[in-house]
Each structure stands twice: as C-alpha cells, then as structure tokens.
Amino acid sequence: MEMRARESVNMSEDLTGAIAPYATALYDTFLHSHCSSCFIKLPPQPPCIMSCTKCCSVWYCCSECMSSDSVVHSSSGECCFFVEHLKGASSSYVTEGTSDLRAALRLLYVLEMRGLVSFDSINHYSRIGGLSASGIEEALEEGEDIAERILEGSLLMSSARKSRAQTNVSFSDVLKVERMTLWAVITNSVEVQLSEGLAMGIAVYGPSFSWFNHSCFPNASYQFVLTPNDEGCISYKSKSSVVPASKGVAADVVKGAKYHFLYSFPALCKYGPRVVVRCTKPINKGDEVCITYIDLLQTKEARQSDLWLKYKFICSCSRCVASPESYLDLILNGHARDFNKPEDEVTAPTIEDLDDALQQAISEYSSGDDAKACCDIIESMLSENLMRDLPKGDLSGTKHMLHPLHRVCFTAYMALASAYRFRALSFKTGSLHGEKNDDLFRMAKAAAAYSLSLFFLVESMKGDTRQYLSEAKFTFPSCPEGFAKHDSVKYNDFRSTCERFGKQMSSLSFHCWSFLAQGLPCLEQIKNPIDFSWLGTAIFRSPLSEDDYANLSAHNPTSFAMAPKECILSLAICCITYCKYLTSICYGPQHYLADCAKDILEGINILYDLPLLA
C-alpha cells in the first residue's frame, strides 16, 4: 500500500486537503483540561464546559462538541470502560496511559457502523478498514511489554464492549478483532501536536493518510489543524495531488479506501484534529510520496531498531541502503578514529556506556526537574570524553573519545540547551540584581551556546554520500529531472536561500563563539565552530569554501569582541528568521512554529527598537 503523486508537484505545496480522522483520543493527562471532541483547551469557568454525566471522565467545550461525540463515546464502550473496567486494569497499564485502548474502542465502533470489518480482511490480509495490522504475530511471539499490552488491552476492550450490541462479525477467536484493532491503533496512530507545542493525544486516520509509507529520506511532512465549531459538518475533501496504489487486497480494504477518500466520516469526526500532508521537495508525477514515522537524527541502527520495535518492519529506503553510507549517518556514528581506514574499529569503553549514562541523566531531569544535576552530569561526561586538540600520536589509546558532532554529543547539546533554558526561566526577572542577575545571564548564555552547537550538525548534514569522507559533498541535491522550468527555479531559490542563511549564521557564529563558550569547559574544547580541521580532515570538512573561510578569518575579531551582545542578537535574529522560513516550507505559513517565530521577532523589534523583522 502506498501513495503516489497524481501530478508533478513543486515543493512547499499541500498534497491533501484537511483529512478527518477515523478515531481520536486525548492522553489521560489532558482528559480534564481539553475537549475530547475538538481538542481545544477548556474554558476556565462553566457554564460552557460539560461532561459525560455517567463516567465524568470526558469533557467538552460546548454543547455542539458534546452532541457530536457522545454517541461514539457511549456506543463504543469507552464510557463503560471508564465506569466499570478501568479499575480492573493493571497499574502498569494505567501508568502508561489508556489512549490507545480508548482510540481502539472508538475505531472499531466506527468501522463496524460502516461495514468495514470483515472476516476475510482480518484473517487473510491482516487489515481492518484499510488499516494495516501486519506484524501482530511477531509482536505477540516476541513477548515483552508490547505483547502484554495487546493481550490485556484486548481483554479490557472485550469487557467494555459487552455493554453494547454484539459485533456484526463473529470470529472463532473471540478476542481477535479487539487485538487486531488495538494493534492497528498502535501502528497507525500519530501523536497530535497543536499550537501549544505539546502532544495532546493520538489520532487514527484512514487510507488517505495511513497509506503514506515511511522513508528516512522523506519528501513530505504533515501538520494538524483544528476544526472551528462554526464550520459545521462540511466536507474536507479538496482536490488531492496523491492517489492510493495497491495490489491484491481484500474488497473491504478497497471499499474502506474509497469511502474515506469520498466522505472522510464527517458525521462522526465533526471537530477532531485534521491532518494535512505537504511536500518538502519537488515530486514528479507517479513518484511515491513518503513521510517519516520516527526521529531521523539517529544512526541507521537506531532508526531500524525504532521501526522494528513499533512497526515490525525493516526500512530499505535510499538512505538506509546507501553504500557508502550517507555523510549524516557517518557523522552521527563517528568516533575519534581515521575514517579513511575502515578496519580501524572502536574499542571499549563503548559508546553505548556513554549513551546509557546520558539517557539516565535526561530521564532523571525529565521526572524530577533537577536541571542543575542534569547539567553537571552531562557536562562532566562530555568534558571527560569529548575529543580535544590532541597530537596524532596521542589518539592511539583514546579511540573511544567522541568528536563534537557525534550523535551522543548532539543529544547532550539538546538536553543541556533545555536544562539551562529551564534554569534561566526559573529566575524571577522582576527581582534580579547583583549575583542573581549574573546567574541568569550565565544560564541564558549557556543555553544559547548549546543551542548553537546544534547548528554545527545542521551544516554538516548537507552532504549526501562519500567514498569515506574525502568525497563528501556539502551541497543540496539538484531538482529532479523532468521538472518544469518554474519548479526548478523555485527549488533553486530555496537552495540559494538556505545557503545564504547558512553562510550568514556561520559568519556570526565564528565571531560569537569564544564569548558564548566561555565558562563551559566542554565547549571551550571546540576551538573553531566552523572548521573542524583541527580534528583532522578525516573527521570533518568545512561546509565553507576556502575563499569564504578566508574572508571570515580576515575580519578583525576584536571589533566583535567589543560588542558580543550585538553580534549574538544578530545571530539570534538570523536563526529565528531561518526557522520561520523553513517552517513555512515544511508546514505552511500558518503553522504554530511560524507564529512563534514571528512573535519573537516582533518582541525583539519592540525591545531594541529595530526595523520590522517579522
């Protein structure tokens, strides 16, 4: 099952209309603070808000949302689950949350009401309503947590469903349909992230979204939009630029796909979060359109592990099968060794030991909010293991040391940027003076320094492939062949814009770095944030040309050192503007990240009385 382009599409264009979900479910922590129908935050005071009078577990922002959702809530067995069966669930199940089980109850009810559950589809094609449920046998055979969750969840679903009419399809294995539906939710649901920047819950969409396959080198992305109550029950089907492609599927699978493409279940998903797919690269007619299911800033091994753990498949996209591996994968998995000698392997202590220590520190910080302890532990790890400016001979006994762009360092930079930002925000700015004001400045400066460290990796990501490192190319790929001239022009404009932003940020970073890194020992070890040739050309090559780097070095750094705050302000404006630009490309100009960037730029404009930036 896959989705292909109906026509050639330029980058940064919506490929679909706003697709309505089959079923949704808020995370447990948001059940009493957000509307279970439309997902918006509940108003602070009645009489607008109302809840299910039987279970008192789901809340609605208005009578329209309640009326649109109440039938599914009660008839699916979700209400009965809250009243009678939640207390019977194991503590581990409740701790992990019940959103997948509740979404499965709702999904099964919706599919049954539309006649999209059949014996043939489930038993022979491992599909339910067009949604793939393949891999469930492997998940159950492997055991562990996921198998226990499926087995216990299907029992809870069956018990809750006994309070309503019997299903339209009977199976010799009475729990099979519940297990298949729950597994379909686990493998097909997506986290709904809205303007608050939080994952509010999950949503399951039909073939018009679920048939988009995964790639570690995707050409499309997706975003969520909410349905205003005053729009009413309208069709969300606009002209789509993609078409489904499949072979040898059950009749109800095709029926489910056609039904969803035509009607999108408007009556039962009136206000739920819609999803819009948008292309991030030029796509030729007939090409497959792919999104990503996972975090792509991981090594190949980590990506394959994530995909198998949740989806039970091994990715064979162009990035995963590339030989030699892509430069991004090389740099994420590299160590302090000569990359031109592949037989030179890494020795103990292993990178996994450092990764485990890092994840433990992040976990403790996330659960306990002890940001200072997190900073101390991670910075100590980096200081002890980060690669320094060592003579070639001194590396012989330290092959385990990390280079600054290793995936472990990248994760550490993100964690430290977050922790220092949290520490800075903990100060009450209204009562700052003396040492407290100095502490706030140090925390904010450290957060900026570690955030800037992430830019180093972004610059290194421009490479495609290499014959070892010496042939790495630090350029964007060309526009696909066969594209119209105006499409090529737009893509080339994008490439040149990104390169201009990159050079500007590189220039400002070059002059700001010593000031930002001062007082942070593990960052002070990074002598030059633009050119890592001090680590040896086998580990990194600068994305700047020799002429560009010569022009940067020719500037007198003293003038920048005299006004480091102005330089940092210019760098911040450049980074935020670039973020806003990329967000508009990937998600559209109305995305919450674009709005956030615009608000920050307007705030800087007011604070510093600058020309209009946003």
Side-chain angles (χ1 to χ4, degrees):
M1 323 304 287
E2 60 190 24
M3 302 293 279
R4 292 190 173 273
R6 184 198 302 271
E7 57 197 6
S8 294
V9 184
N10 199 5
M11 68 179 304
S12 71
E13 292 185 7
D14 290 343
L15 295 171
T16 68
I19 303 169
Y22 273 7
T24 62
L26 285 169
Y27 284 140
D28 294 9
T29 53
F30 294 105
L31 281 171
H32 294 277
S33 61
H34 288 71
C35 177
S36 285
S37 176
C38 70
F39 276 42
I40 70 168
K41 190 175 181 63
L42 295 173
Q45 297 292 334
C48 296
I49 58 174
M50 51 196 67
S51 70
C52 171
T53 56
K54 184 177 180 181
C55 69
C56 298
S57 295
V58 297
W59 290 76
Y60 303 101
C61 64
C62 61
S63 58
E64 289 84 359
C65 279
M66 184 172 185
S67 62
S68 73
D69 188 72
S70 58
V71 173
V72 180
H73 170 63
S74 59
S75 301
S76 66
E78 182 185 43
C79 182
C80 184
F81 167 74
F82 280 123
V83 174
E84 300 179 15
H85 305 288
L86 180 58
K87 58 181 177 291
S90 65
S91 57
S92 61
Y93 201 102
V94 175
T95 300
E96 292 184 25
T98 64
S99 57
D100 54 357
L101 185 150
R102 292 183 283 109
L105 285 169
R106 288 169 166 261
L107 174 63
L108 187 51
Y109 170 75
V110 168
L111 296 179
E112 286 181 332
M113 292 301 100
R114 292 298 184 271
L116 299 177
V117 181
S118 75
F119 178 90
D120 185 53
S121 176
I122 289 179
N123 281 281
H124 294 98
Y125 296 95
S126 297
R127 288 188 173 271
I128 181 167
L131 301 174
S132 173
S134 61
I136 187 171
E137 294 81 6
E138 292 87 346
L140 293 174
E141 288 174 2
E142 290 178 4
E144 299 182 355
D145 294 342
I146 188 64
E148 294 179 7
R149 189 161 186 85
I150 294 172
L151 294 174
E152 181 178 356
S154 62
L155 285 171
L156 291 169
M157 286 178 63
S158 179
S159 298
R161 280 163 50 81
K162 287 179 180 178
S163 63
R164 50 172 290 266
Q166 294 298 313
T167 62
N168 298 325
V169 182
S170 60
F171 296 87
S172 56
D173 182 349
V174 294
L175 292 178
K176 186 165 187 175
V177 68
E178 283 85 4
R179 288 200 298 267
M180 293 287 285
T181 306
L182 183 55
W183 179 245
V185 168
I186 292 173
T187 55
N188 288 277
S189 63
V190 287
E191 280 194 326
V192 177
Q193 295 186 341
L194 301 171
S195 58
E196 298 172 356
L198 298 173
M200 308 299 301
I202 60 174
V204 183
Y205 297 88
S208 53
F209 179 71
S210 67
W211 283 11
F212 283 98
N213 286 326
H214 164 83
S215 172
C216 298
F217 193 61
N219 53 12
S221 61
Y222 59 90
Q223 65 162 317
F224 298 97
V225 293
L226 292 182
T227 310
N229 290 357
D230 56 5
E231 286 191 14
C233 183
I234 64 174
S235 171
Y236 285 87
K237 179 67 182 72
S238 60
K239 185 178 184 298
S240 178
S241 298
V242 294
V243 291
S246 60
K247 293 181 180 180
V249 297
D252 77 310
V253 174
V254 178
K255 178 182 177 183
K258 290 181 178 178
Y259 194 100
H260 188 78
F261 271 86
L262 291 173
Y263 302 108
S264 294
F265 292 162
L268 294 178
C269 298
K270 189 173 182 179
Y271 300 135
R274 269 59 176 164
V275 66
V276 179
V277 181
R278 185 179 180 87
C279 62
T280 56
K281 302 173 184 176
I283 303 174
N284 282 324
K285 179 180 179 179
D287 287 350
E288 184 177 6
V289 181
C290 294
I291 58 176
T292 181
Y293 297 173
I294 58 171
D295 177 10
L296 296 179
L297 286 178
Q298 303 182 88
T299 62
K300 175 182 175 180
E301 292 74 16
R303 298 195 309 272
Q304 299 286 17
S305 176
D306 280 0
L307 290 169
W308 180 257
L309 181 65
K310 182 172 182 181
Y311 303 103
K312 299 303 180 223
F313 73 83
I314 301 297
C315 183
S316 57
C317 70
S318 59
R319 178 180 171 190
C320 287
V321 301
S323 180
E325 66 185 332
S326 68
Y327 179 70
L328 173 58
D329 287 329
L330 171 78
I331 207 72
L332 286 171
N333 203 35
H335 305 275
R337 58 189 172 100
D338 188 351
F339 284 113
N340 287 318
K341 297 178 180 179
E343 70 279 0
D344 185 7
E345 298 296 334
V346 179
T347 58
T350 66
I351 295 301
E352 285 70 21
D353 294 333
L354 300 177
D355 198 15
D356 289 343
L358 173 62
Q359 296 303 327
Q360 180 65 25
I362 294 174
S363 177
E364 292 178 358
Y365 161 54
S366 300
S367 60
D369 290 336
D370 191 346
K372 184 179 185 304
C374 175
C375 293
D376 292 343
I377 293 172
I378 297 178
E379 287 182 322
S380 175
M381 182 200 75
L382 288 178
S383 296
E384 294 173 3
N385 295 282
L386 195 64
M387 193 173 181
R388 299 169 179 81
D389 184 18
L390 299 175
K392 180 68 176 179
D394 291 347
L395 285 176
S396 57
T398 57
K399 293 180 181 177
H400 64 280
M401 297 186 75
L402 302 172
H403 70 68
L405 298 179
H406 188 275
R407 59 182 173 84
V408 171
C409 292
F410 180 66
T411 304
Y413 299 151
M414 287 194 293
L416 288 168
S418 172
Y420 272 109
R421 190 174 297 111
F422 180 86
R423 293 173 68 180
L425 292 174
S426 65
F427 288 95
K428 296 182 179 179
T429 56
S431 58
L432 289 177
H433 55 83
E435 291 186 3
K436 287 187 176 181
N437 193 48
D438 293 339
D439 289 340
L440 170 62
F441 180 74
R442 284 196 298 270
M443 299 301 106
K445 185 166 74 75
Y450 284 114
S451 297
L452 186 60
S453 301
L454 306 181
F455 171 65
F456 306 156
L457 179 64
V458 173
E459 279 300 291
S460 74
M461 286 167 54
K462 294 180 181 178
D464 289 331
T465 59
R466 52 77 170 141
Q467 183 62 37
Y468 303 119
L469 191 59
S470 58
E471 298 180 12
K473 297 179 180 179
F474 295 86
T475 58
F476 286 92
S478 300
C479 190
E481 293 183 5
F483 241 74
K485 183 177 180 180
H486 72 278
D487 295 327
S488 300
V489 169
K490 184 173 182 180
Y491 184 64
N492 290 332
D493 286 344
F494 166 74
R495 292 172 60 189
S496 61
T497 298
C498 289
E499 288 168 0
R500 287 197 301 271
F501 268 117
K503 289 183 178 181
Q504 179 70 5
M505 288 187 289
S506 296
S507 173
L508 292 168
S509 301
F510 180 83
H511 296 291
C512 292
W513 181 246
S514 60
F515 173 75
L516 287 174
Q518 185 179 10
L520 300 171
C522 52
L523 292 186
E524 286 180 330
Q525 296 174 20
I526 301 177
K527 296 177 58 177
N528 189 323
I530 305 303
D531 182 3
F532 281 78
S533 59
W534 52 276
L535 295 176
T537 56
I539 292 179
F540 187 84
R541 286 179 61 190
S542 174
L544 299 179
S545 68
E546 292 183 4
D547 290 341
D548 290 332
Y549 187 74
N551 290 335
L552 284 177
S553 302
H555 290 298
N556 180 8
T558 304
S559 60
F560 283 86
M562 293 175 62
K565 294 182 180 179
E566 288 78 1
C567 183
I568 293 172
L569 176 61
S570 297
L571 178 60
I573 292 172
C574 188
C575 290
I576 296 168
T577 305
Y578 190 34
C579 172
K580 182 171 177 283
Y581 174 71
L582 292 179
T583 298
S584 67
I585 295 291
C586 295
Y587 304 111
Q590 306 304 319
H591 193 264
Y592 72 87
L593 288 176
D595 291 338
C596 182
K598 180 180 179 182
D599 292 342
I600 294 174
L601 291 172
E602 288 178 347
I604 293 175
N605 173 53
I606 295 172
L607 183 63
Y608 292 95
D609 193 25
L610 300 173
L612 186 61
L613 301 170

